[in-house]
């Protein structure tokens, strides 16, 4: 089979599933569940752990950031806190992304008879900033997406999303990641065994249902206010109402599944959504990624051509100045009477002969004085003749 990055058919490339979510949403447990599910299907995935601060993971990783970067040492050396240490560790690890992609491509098209992988699972830290603001998150995702179909699985803690305000906060986080990464996304409402996520699906598809929940929260003093009066200042209610209208288009581009990482509920539905988003990546996202890559290459080419033009103009200007001063043409120098042959036994280096140089300066100055005197005498003669 040919290289995965060049001639491997798009349908045979493994799908990279990047699990993202806030701390406590159950990303690691969800990773363990889908890893176990794929092993049960006799399709073991290639697993990457990008959380440098985790002590133990309940699954075996093929690539682990902790093998390359010492999180505590990074905090110590750079005098950072926990979040800064995680971001800096990922920035350091991102410098090895070409090696990671190379390993993935080898496993996607093995030459030694090993079974071809069909899924790449990526576990990430709970810091959303990694993929919203950090350069390392963008580098990692763009590198994966340039070689493999890549899907973002945004893990949501369903029990903590029961109120309209926390639900909208999660949706805004998901929206920021979607438009930052420009990759297909699946909203995974985890812990469905604790709270049924059907209410969230209804809020995303039925505007009136969300408005009813919003009024209930407002009347229950969920947004502050005097006890018994309800409503608060009305600011939060108005804000959430406006955001729900704005996110209506955002919801249309998402797949929503409810799962339980503990019981395995909804895992089959999740992989069905992954397959759907993989096809969507190939049809919609891949052409856009290629267009953006071509634009970057075109900008780089134009920048190189601009620098080359500037350099050529600079060289032509230097050549013109040299010719104007009589020092740019070797043939002119050979015809000049000032050229002293190397075979001349009386050759004297004017750079070291300071006395000779001084004498030339004095002679030049004296000649200039004489010419000035001659001009002054001629002007005086003309003045006397006019009188």
């Amino acid at each position: 089979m040919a290289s995965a990055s060049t001639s491997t058919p798009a349908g045979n490339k493994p799908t990279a599933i990047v699990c993202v979510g806030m701390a406590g949403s159950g990303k690691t447990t969800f990773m363990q569940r889908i890893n176990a599910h794929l092993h049960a299907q006799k399709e073991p995935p290639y697993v990457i752990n990008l959380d440098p601060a985790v002590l133990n993971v309940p699954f075996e990783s093929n690539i682990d950031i902790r093998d390359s970067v010492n999180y505590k040492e990074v905090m110590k050396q750079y005098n950072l806190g926990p979040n800064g240490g995680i971001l800096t560790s990922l920035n350091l690890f991102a410098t090895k992304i070409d090696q990671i992609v190379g390993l993935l491509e080898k496993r996607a098209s093995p030459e030694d008879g090993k079974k071809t992988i069909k899924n790449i699972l990526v576990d990430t830290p709970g810091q959303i900033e990694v993929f919203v603001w950090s350069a390392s998150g963008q580098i990692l995702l763009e590198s994966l997406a340039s070689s493999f179909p890549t899907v973002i699985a945004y893990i949501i803690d369903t029990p903590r999303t029961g109120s309209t305000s926390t639900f909208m906060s999660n949706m805004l986080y998901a929206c920021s990641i979607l438009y930052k990464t420009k990759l297909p996304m699946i909203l995974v409402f985890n812990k469905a065994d604790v709270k049924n996520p059907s209410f969230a699906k209804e809020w995303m598809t039925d505007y009136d249902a969300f408005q009813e929940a919003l009024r209930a929260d407002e009347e229950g003093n969920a947004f502050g206010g005097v006890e018994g009066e309800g409503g608060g200042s009305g600011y939060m209610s108005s804000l959430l109402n406006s955001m729900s209208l704005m996110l209506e288009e955002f919801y249309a581009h998402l797949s929503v599944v409810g799962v339980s990482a503990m019981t395995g509920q909804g895992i089959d539905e999740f992989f069905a959504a992954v397959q759907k988003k993989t096809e969507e990546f190939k049809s919609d996202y891949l052409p856009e990624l290629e267009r953006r890559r071509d634009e970057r290459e075109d900008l780089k080419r134009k920048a190189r051509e601009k620098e080359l033009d500037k350099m050529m103009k600079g060289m032509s200007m230097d050549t013109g100045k040299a010719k104007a001063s009589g020092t740019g043409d070797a043939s002119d120098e050979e015809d000049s009477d000032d050229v002293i042959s190397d075979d001349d036994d009386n050759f004297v280096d004017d750079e070291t002969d300071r006395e000779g140089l001084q004498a030339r300066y004095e002679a030049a100055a004296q000649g200039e004085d004489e010419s000035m005197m001659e001009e002054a005498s001629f002007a005086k003669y003309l003045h006397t003749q006019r009188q």
Side-chain angles (χ1 to χ4, degrees), residues 220-281:
N221 293 322
F223 308 133
V226 180
E227 184 68 27
E229 296 183 3
S233 64
Y235 170 76
M236 278 296 295
S237 178
S238 177
L239 176 63
L240 294 176
N241 184 33
S242 300
M243 286 192 294
S244 66
L245 289 171
M246 181 270 293
L247 292 175
E248 185 176 359
E249 181 68 20
F250 165 68
Y251 296 148
H253 296 84
L254 298 176
S255 293
V256 182
V257 296
V259 303
S260 171
M262 290 297 295
T263 65
Q265 173 187 343
I267 297 300
D268 290 329
E269 183 184 356
F270 168 74
F271 278 103
V274 169
Q275 183 61 34
K276 176 183 176 182
K277 288 299 178 180
T278 300
E279 298 302 323
E280 185 178 320
F281 175 90

Side-chain angles (χ1 to χ4, degrees), residues 158-232:
T158 306
R160 295 183 182 178
T161 318
S163 68
T164 53
S165 57
T166 54
F167 170 80
M168 192 56 63
S169 176
N170 266 293
M171 294 302 102
L172 289 176
Y173 270 123
C175 182
S176 65
I177 294 175
L178 175 67
Y179 288 106
K180 176 68 174 179
T181 61
K182 296 181 176 62
L183 293 172
M185 176 179 286
I186 302 172
L187 292 185
V188 181
F189 284 89
N190 195 18
K191 306 180 184 179
D193 56 319
V194 179
K195 185 177 180 64
N196 193 322
S198 58
F199 73 93
K201 296 180 181 180
E202 186 180 15
W203 288 354
M204 295 175 67
T205 55
D206 190 344
Y207 177 76
D208 293 333
F210 182 78
Q211 290 300 307
E212 184 178 348
L214 192 60
R215 283 192 296 270
D217 283 349
E218 190 174 7
E219 292 172 359
N221 293 322
F223 308 133
V226 180
E227 184 68 27
E229 296 183 3

Side-chain angles (χ1 to χ4, degrees), residues 90 122 144 299 346 354:
L90 280 166
V122 183
L144 279 176
L299 288 175
N346 298 324
R354 297 184 179 275

Side-chain angles (χ1 to χ4, degrees), residues 71-89:
Y71 165 68
K72 292 184 178 180
E73 191 65 25
V74 168
M75 290 177 59
K76 180 180 178 181
Q77 291 293 332
Y78 294 95
N79 194 25
L80 299 170
N83 289 344
I86 289 173
L87 288 175
T88 304
S89 298

Side-chain angles (χ1 to χ4, degrees), residues 7-34:
S7 57
T8 299
N12 293 342
K13 290 184 178 181
T15 300
I17 305 172
V18 183
C19 297
V20 180
M22 288 186 285
S25 61
K27 292 187 310 301
T28 303
T29 308
F30 177 75
M31 278 279 297
Q32 179 190 22
R33 172 59 62 180
I34 60 177

